[in-house]
Each structure stands twice: as C-alpha cells, then as structure tokens.
Amino acid sequence: MKVVALVSGGKDSCYAMMKCIQYGHQIVAVANLLPADDLVDELDSYMYQTVGHQIIVSYAECMGVPLFRRRIQGSTRHHKLSYQRTPGDEVEDMFILLNEVKKQIPSITAVSSGAIASDYQRLRVESVCSRLGLVSLAYLWKQDQSLLLQEMITNEIMAITVKVAAMGLDPAKHLGKEIAFLEPYLHKLKDLYGINVCGEGGEYETLTLDCPLFQNARIMLDDFQVVLHSSDSIAPVGVLHPLKFHLESKQSNSLSGNNKTNDLCRENISSIFEVQGVNLEECKAPGEPGPEVNDLIEVSSHRLHLSKTEKDTTFSICCWLQDTSGPSTGLQGDLKLILRQIELQLEGCGLGWEHVLYIHLYISDMDQFSQANETYVRFITQDKCPFGVPSRSTIELPLIQAGLGRAYIEVLVANDQSKRVLHVQSISCWAPSCIGPYSQATLHKEMLHMAGQLGLDPPTMTLCDGGSTAELQSALQNSEAIAKCFNCSISTSAILFVVYCSTNIPLDERPKIHDNLDTFAKQLKLSHLDKGTKPEVLDPIFLYILVPDLPKRALVEIKPILYVPETVETPEETSCQLSSIVAPSSFGFQPADWPDSCIQKCVIPGKICAVVLSITSVVAMKICSDSMNADWSNNNHQNSLTESQMKRISRFCIFLLNKTIIENDFSWKDTMSLRLYFPPNLHVPLETLSNLFADGFKELDQMNGGSKVGGKPIFNLVPVLGAGISAACTNDIITCELFAGKS
C-alpha cells in the first residue's frame, strides 16, 4: 500500500515508517501537525507531540517525499475514550490534514502512526481513517517497550530527548542526549520507579535527527536552549528549544551543496504543503446506511422464522428466511430482510444494535462475503454503537441444502450498557485487525466473547503457510494476544473452544487438530505457572464443526469463550463428568449409564453453565434400541432415520440438557443461547425437526414448567456438514450447545 505517515519528529513515528517499509508498503508522503505560533514549543494536547516542531520542516528534504503540515486550530473537546466527530476538536485538524493529502495524492490508501500503548490516540487515528476510507497502520502497537527501544537503536535511529518529565530525569542533564546513551539509565528508572522505557507515559519525548529513512541528509542541531517548565524537586519538566540547525548531505547529488541551512530548506516549497482553512465537506464513511435501509421491509410470515431465548438480561435472537420456489433476492436481499427484522425485534424490546454483544453471520456462499459485508455495514455502524460494535464470526454453511435461504443471523443481546469492547482497526504486529464495524472481543458479565480467529499473520493480514495445524497455531496465538488485553489467558480462562474446520482440510490432518490445540494450551499454562501466575482452575470443553468454507479460504477458525472474573478469587469449576444428583425423570428416560463422551460441561457455580451434548450413532442406538436396524453399526444412520426415531432423539436431548442444568442449580430461564447443529443429509425436513424440538419443550413445560418456551422457539437449528467433540470424527446426528448464565 502507498502510505502517508503521521510524524511528530519522535523516534516512534520514524520507526513505524521503517516497519511499514519492512512489510512491503511505500511511504509516499509525511504529515505533521504543529502549533499555530512558531515560538510555542508545546501545546496542551492529548494527541500531538509538538516539541521540536521547528525542525520537522527538514523531513521532506531528508526523506525526499512531500511534507504536508497544518497548524492546530482545535483543542481537546471530546474527552471520552472512543472518539466521535466533534467540531473544534484537535482531531478534526488531523482529518482536514489527511483529507487534503488524499486529495493531492489519490493513490494513498493507508496512514502510519507510532502508537504503542495509547488507546486514546489509536482510536482517534482509526476514527479519522475510517471516515476517509483509509487503513490505519500501527506496527508498534502493543509491542514490548524494552525490545522496541533496543530495536530502534539497533536499526540506527539517532534521536535525542527534547522533553523530560519523570522522576529521575533532569532537564539539565538529560535533555539533548541520544536514546542509545540513555537506554541503560532508562531501564534503571523502570526498575526503580516503573517508568515506560519508550516514554509512553509522557516521561520523555524525542526528536529524530537521523535514521535509514533519511537518504538525502541528516539533521545537525547546532544550538538549542533548555526551557524549564517546572522546577519540581521530584520530577522537573523541561523542553529543548532548537535555535539553529543545518542539513548534512549524505549523497553528493542529492543537495546542491554539502550543507543547507534551515532557511534554505524552506525554499524547496514544492515539497512542503501548508494545509489551510476549514473543511466544510462531509466525508461519508464507507458503508454508511442508505435511505432504503430505513424503509419498513415486509416479509411474508410463512418465510420469516425467528427464535429467541427467554432470559430477560442476556438473550439471543435468531432469524432466517425459509427458501421458496419464487424468484430469489440473492444473498444481499436475504441479508437485508433478516437484519431489518432483527432490528425490529430489538426495537420491540426497547433496544438497538448498541445492545448487541455478538453476531454469528452465516452465509451460503463465501464467494459473496464482500457483498454480505456491504449489506452488513449498512446496519451495524460505529455511530449506532457508541459503546463499541459487536464481535462477530462469519462461516459458510449449507443453508440452501437445508432450506434456509442464503443468510442466517444470530445475535446475542444484553439489555444494559456494561459491555467492554476491544476494537483495534489498525494493522499491527499484535493481532489481526478488525477493519470495519466488528470487534476482536466483547466482555460482558464476566464472559469474554471473542471474534472468530483465523490463522492470520497480523502485520500482513495473510494466512500463514503450513496447513491446518500451522493456521491453528497462529489463530491460538492471536486469541492469546486478545485475551491478554483483558488480563487473562486462553490456557487458563477458556470455557469453550468452538473450532470450525473447513472440508478442505485433508482427512489425515484432522486428528492432529485437537492434539495441537491441547498441546498449545498446556504449554501456555506451564509458561504462566513459570511466571508465578495463578491460573483459574478451568477445564474447557470443545466442539468441532465441519463447514464448507471459511473467510479467506482459511482451513481453521476458532471461537473461544472465556471467563474473566471481576474479582481476583480463583473460581471453583465443576468436573466435566455428570454428578450424582438426580433430576426428575422426563419423557420416560431414566438416569441410565450413558457414555461419558455423550456430554461435556464447564460450570462456574452460580455464574455460568456451558454444555455440549453429542448424539453419536452409538448413543442413538441406545436411545432407539427397539427400532434401530443393523445399518446403524455400519455408520449408515443418516439414510435410515425415521421421524419417530428422531422424536425419541429430540426428547433425549431435552431430557439430558434439562437434567444437567437442574443438577447444577440453573434453569431454562437462565439460558442465553441454545444451538442445535444438524447435518442436512439427516433426511429429516427442517420444519419437522423444528416441530419435534418445539413440541418436546412444550411437553417439558407441561411436566415441570422448566423451559418456558413462550411464543417463539428458544433454540436455533444450525445446519452444518458435521459436528462432534473431535475434529477427526464429526459424524454426530445432533449436537447441542447450550450456554446459561445467572444475572
């Protein structure tokens, strides 16, 4: 990509440019914001470093690229972490500056910044980029500061301190010193006082005088003045005010003379652009909803299908359209209808998209993923979700084969605004970016719902080489990076791993997937123990789903759900074996000695109950022993199921789920989501399957009032090519995934 780099003159923005080049991008312009008054060194700004701005004018000459500058006219007016367009705010100066760069150089598609740890700055850069349709590149984001400082020095960034404001840093002693000289002392101050060695806490600021990017010349500071802003005896504050500097040529043909003074640099006005004025033009964000979205869309009742769990505080809504023989509206048409219907359902509850925690987006053809996104972003926008956009996973499913149209959506909704969202849109070395209105993870009521993670290399956003196991390893590393942002780990806090496996995985590779996942988690847990971290005692459960395709033609996608306690106490977790407590008998079933592999559960007493129930052919034979034929022993069960057998199986699923939640002191009223995965070649019509389970829950209501079905089903029927507790064996007849939580 062609990149405009935001530069403050500091070491971080320069090293960020170097990382852009390392990952194959081209720096074609630099942009800088400076005070309105040249004599002012520093502004009271949360966004911009301005100390040393007098020298930035030389960067165009040193690098051989145009420099765009704008004098800051705004101030800090929007104080919340997540930024929204605010007239008169200093962020709007950045928007005006970058908008002009984009007009002058239309080929630019990305913006580089040196953000390392500041969410405040990163979110504002991302907001501006989103409005301009540009990609944010932040290759230093979340990197270890000690390693970063060493890398900068090793890669020949020659930067001096131009501001100090921390305990142990003396303006008289430490201003004007090179970072290579100060590095050992900065680490000493880190050990003594906990400072950020890269100065991310405002401990110090730097000015780069030379680096490999400066191909034409280096900056020579001839004279400066130390200005003391605060004479505090513990942490005095001082800045370096440049008085005189010149450029020293690196190439004899790059400058007309060996040295050029700062006055002569200003004569090269063709490479320096002063961006003036106020931009009165509204920049429409990509995917902003058009007027047709707000029109009421009517759908015939026989086509529209909805399900909703009954929990008042956190519940799921699922919507799909029954396929018809009439003319098709295509995936985008189906998706628009479904999103609008969910929107209406939310409005009926007095809620909106901002209350959605997570979205499962199922589509019939991954080749139309971009078209699906075009429709998706017309409904779910950052403007509609001021507290953070929902996390999301996108999967291709055999929807048409199951008679479910071309799109199918499930949303997890909370009736409060206590969610905490992690949404990093910048491409970095940290974890894959989420460019657009979906986030990496959403934390709500101690449950961390993580977006589906592919085996992407974060800085390049391409799938790693090496097949399914390599992709799985990368996806797990990306998941761990996200978990760390919430002070937890997938190795110690995971409740459930859902692993989507593409049919493109060779059969001989599938058995390795669970082994690799288990090995990674154990090694990660040991590393936490070595560091003295006390892990939560959680033993996660696993569900493997076989699907036709995944985004980017990935082979594997993982979707972890984690428990993140609000207190530091270690939660007690129940065993994954059935307890000895006996639930009331239902449907004529007795608490028999069912195979241990039939059910997995992870229960945090009084808080969370996660259950995966796997109905294999072995279990089905036991349930329907009086009506099964010999073909079942040869794995031909999908060709011989009758409606009466399927009824028996549906009642058993409800019985065992009911038994499990009651024994663990939960009820159906606590259910947040219940998915029933089935293969389309079950040869039981979808409507029949839905009615069997709906009738089963009504019977349970009549027997003990446990499920409270209400007007809509509380379950989602999800067609998959296969499912099971092992990637090597995804031949379940029915797989149930239930999540319950106490308010």
Side-chain angles (χ1 to χ4, degrees), residues 405-418:
R406 289 161 180 78
Y408 182 119
I409 285 185
E410 177 191 337
V411 297
L412 182 65
V413 187
N415 69 353
D416 59 41
Q417 292 292 352
S418 63

Side-chain angles (χ1 to χ4, degrees), residues 194-433:
I195 75 161
N196 296 279
V197 295
C198 277
E200 274 295 284
E203 294 88 344
Y204 70 94
E205 293 177 358
T206 61
L207 180 67
T208 301
L209 301 179
D210 193 17
C211 70
L213 296 167
F214 294 2
Q215 296 182 1
N216 296 330
R218 62 178 59 87
I219 302 168
M220 306 299 293
L221 183 60
D222 300 317
D223 193 14
F224 63 86
Q225 175 187 4
V226 172
V227 179
L228 195 64
H229 281 189
S230 168
S231 56
D232 184 272
S233 59
I234 298 175
V237 179
V239 300
L240 182 152
H241 177 76
L243 296 175
K244 187 179 180 182
F245 66 94
H246 70 274
L247 299 187
E248 184 179 90
S249 173
K250 287 186 177 182
Q251 300 176 12
S252 59
N253 62 350
S254 64
L255 299 172
S256 59
N258 288 334
N259 296 322
K260 278 204 169 188
T261 67
N262 50 315
D263 292 331
L264 291 178
C265 285
R266 293 185 180 275
E267 293 177 5
N268 190 8
I269 58 173
S270 61
S271 63
I272 300 172
F273 300 87
E274 293 282 348
V275 179
Q276 305 287 341
V278 177
N279 182 14
L280 301 176
E281 188 179 321
E282 286 289 339
C283 181
K284 186 177 179 180
E288 188 174 321
E292 74 278 2
V293 166
N294 296 319
D295 295 337
L296 180 62
I297 300 168
E298 295 184 1
V299 184
S300 56
S301 58
H302 74 278
R303 287 199 66 203
L304 178 66
H305 291 261
L306 287 163
S307 67
K308 179 181 177 297
T309 52
E310 293 293 309
K311 188 174 171 66
D312 293 332
T313 54
T314 308
F315 55 89
S316 63
I317 300 174
C318 186
C319 183
W320 71 91
L321 297 174
Q322 187 77 29
D323 220 359
T324 65
S325 57
S328 170
T329 58
L331 186 146
Q332 286 185 300
D334 282 4
L335 190 56
K336 182 194 289 187
L337 292 170
I338 289 169
L339 286 166
R340 180 55 180 157
Q341 290 303 317
I342 290 179
E343 197 168 59
L344 292 173
Q345 292 291 315
L346 291 170
E347 290 173 1
C349 299
L351 306 173
W353 290 111
E354 69 272 21
H355 294 91
V356 175
L357 307 174
Y358 201 96
I359 295 179
H360 286 86
L361 173 61
Y362 303 131
I363 58 177
S364 62
D365 185 357
M366 196 56 69
D367 287 337
Q368 298 183 50
F369 182 42
S370 60
Q371 294 96 311
N373 255 342
E374 288 176 10
T375 303
Y376 182 92
V377 299
R378 289 178 175 269
F379 286 84
I380 297 97
T381 66
Q382 295 182 63
D383 288 342
K384 292 181 181 179
C385 304
F387 300 99
V389 288
S391 302
R392 186 183 84 178
S393 62
T394 306
I395 308 297
E396 179 182 320
L397 292 182
L399 298 177
I400 296 177
Q401 298 92 309
L404 289 172
R406 289 161 180 78
Y408 182 119
I409 285 185
E410 177 191 337
V411 297
L412 182 65
V413 187
N415 69 353
D416 59 41
Q417 292 292 352
S418 63
K419 69 179 181 180
R420 176 185 160 199
V421 172
L422 176 67
H423 185 201
V424 179
Q425 298 184 70
S426 300
I427 294 177
S428 69
C429 299
W430 161 72
S433 66

